[in-house]
Amino acid sequence: GEYCGGGMWVGRGSAIDDGVVDVTVIPELPLGRMILGTPRLFTGTMERVKGVSRVAVRQLEAIADSETRVLVDVDGEQPGFLPLRGIVLPKAMLVLA
């Protein structure tokens, strides 16, 4: 969906039934850019922050490029750390909203 934990609007324009997962990647940012960019988490414009990217995928494999443990956030929940592998199964779950 468009929103996640605490009302953050990081998936502007995404849909829960389109067969893809919208992934927003927020890398470690310089302190100033992080402070100035934080309000964008709630305005739906986070991908406009330099270094932040967003992509729609049907499958995903994510690994860390260093020995640092990288926390995974899925809709405001932290199920674990990288590596992560996932595949979208369209229409595999009925969601009543």
Side-chain angles (χ1 to χ4, degrees):
E2 293 192 41
Y3 295 89
C4 66
M8 291 183 285
W9 195 9
V10 296
R12 185 180 193 136
S14 64
I16 62 172
D17 61 353
D18 61 359
V20 297
V21 172
D22 294 284
V23 179
T24 302
V25 179
I26 304 172
E28 187 173 345
L29 299 170
L31 182 59
R33 193 175 313 154
M34 184 174 61
I35 291 170
L36 292 173
T38 297
R40 291 183 177 275
L41 283 169
F42 299 92
T43 62
T45 57
M46 191 65 200
E47 68 273 8
R48 294 183 189 163
V49 174
K50 184 178 178 184
V52 174
S53 59
R54 184 170 162 208
V55 63
V57 300
R58 295 188 194 285
Q59 59 183 339
L60 171 73
E61 184 170 357
I63 58 172
D65 63 355
S66 70
E67 296 297 318
T68 304
R69 291 182 58 166
V70 177
L71 184 64
V72 173
D73 185 290
V74 178
D75 194 28
E77 304 297 326
Q78 290 81 41
F81 296 88
L82 293 182
L84 169 74
R85 182 176 296 157
I87 299 171
V88 175
L89 301 173
K91 302 188 187 287
M93 179 172 37
L94 176 62
V95 177
L96 299 175

